[in-house]
Amino acid sequence: GQQLNQSPQSMFIQEGEDVSMNCTSSSIFNTWLWYKQDPGEGPVLLIALYKAGELTSNGRLTAQFGITRKDSFLNISASIPSDVGIYFCAGQADYKLSFGAGTTVTVRA
Amino acid sequence: DSGVTQTPKHLITATGQRVTLRCSPRSGDLSVYWYQQSLDQGLQFLIQYYNGEERAKGNILERFSAQQFPDLHSELNLSSLELGDSALYFCASSASGASYNEQFFGPGTRLTVL
């Protein structure tokens, strides 16, 4: 499948801080999706992006679909303890979803 | 709760055995997708079914097969199991088979092969 490069791999953040993570790919995608996965659970959809340049918010989350269709970023503002988890980007093309390796977020109280 | 259900939640079996994982999509969703998540490979797309027919194939081994039934539930069959098949297996569903549809994931089945 297509290779997605997600960074950073992990981050420790202070409660109240803003967080940013991104994904890049050598391939073009029709859709970018951001998921959060808690231990032992399935990924939960946070934000879906459908058009190049699209900027979408969901509460404290904001994500953008890159103009080139090969990248996307996710911002979390004013982080709280329940933001802990693994965040995955996913690019969709040809009915297939390709996932990044994930960003593990740990919040320091 | 995504509305996607998977059974069983945990499965422990031995090498060489065969198991069947079951998935029920969200009400009204026609597409079902299967994924494997392991520590070294991350989340890997295996296969997609749309309204009973295979739509797309990913990194699915020949020892694995799937099907989607008329009631739209799906089963993933894993045979001649190897230690390396131990992983979390997720099912996801979407409203249609379109490549831009959002996919919603079930809670997963944790398979342990001893």
Side-chain angles (χ1 to χ4, degrees), chain A residues 35 37 50 92 95-97, chain B residues 35 37 97 99 101-103:
Chain A
Y35 288 87
Q37 186 177 21
Y50 301 104
Q92 188 158 271
Y95 308 106
K96 299 175 189 176
L97 207 55
Chain B
Y35 292 86
Q37 187 177 37
S99 64
N101 264 193
E102 302 166 11
Q103 295 181 28

Side-chain angles (χ1 to χ4, degrees), chain A residues 1-108:
Chain A
Q2 290 106 328
Q3 198 75 15
L4 289 183
N5 299 308
Q6 185 172 349
S7 64
Q9 188 175 356
S10 63
M11 58 171 61
F12 287 86
I13 57 173
Q14 199 76 28
E15 187 175 350
E17 281 183 347
D18 295 347
V19 175
S20 186
M21 59 194 79
N22 68 82
C23 267
T24 60
S25 170
S26 57
S27 304
I28 287 174
F29 289 111
N30 301 322
T31 308
W32 279 95
L33 306 166
W34 285 91
Y35 288 87
K36 179 175 182 260
Q37 186 177 21
D38 293 326
E41 305 288 331
V44 174
L45 183 64
L46 299 175
I47 288 183
L49 303 156
Y50 301 104
K51 285 168 47 177
E54 179 182 353
L55 184 71
T56 297
S57 292
N58 177 10
R60 294 179 296 107
L61 308 177
T62 302
Q64 184 157 31
F65 192 146
I67 289 289
T68 65
R69 294 168 64 192
K70 294 182 179 180
D71 62 300
S72 177
F73 72 76
L74 175 71
N75 286 339
I76 307 172
S77 63
S79 55
I80 60 177
S82 62
D83 289 334
V84 163
I86 304 176
Y87 292 79
F88 291 98
C89 63
Q92 188 158 271
D94 299 327
Y95 308 106
K96 299 175 189 176
L97 207 55
S98 300
F99 281 83
T103 296
T104 301
V105 173
T106 306
V107 178
R108 287 188 292 258

Side-chain angles (χ1 to χ4, degrees), chain B residues 56-77:
Chain B
K57 244 180 179 176
N59 303 320
I60 188 166
L61 300 172
E62 285 192 13
R63 300 183 286 109
F64 296 179
S65 65
Q67 53 185 327
Q68 186 178 26
F69 294 87
D71 67 352
L72 301 176
H73 90 270
S74 178
E75 292 180 356
L76 179 67
N77 300 297

Side-chain angles (χ1 to χ4, degrees), chain B residues 69-109:
Chain B
F69 294 87
D71 67 352
L72 301 176
H73 90 270
S74 178
E75 292 180 356
L76 179 67
N77 300 297
L78 315 176
S79 61
S80 303
L81 284 168
E82 302 175 359
L83 294 177
D85 297 328
S86 295
L88 270 167
Y89 290 84
F90 289 105
C91 167
S93 74
S94 68
S96 77
S99 64
Y100 52 82
N101 264 193
E102 302 166 11
Q103 295 181 28
F104 295 88
F105 282 75
T109 293

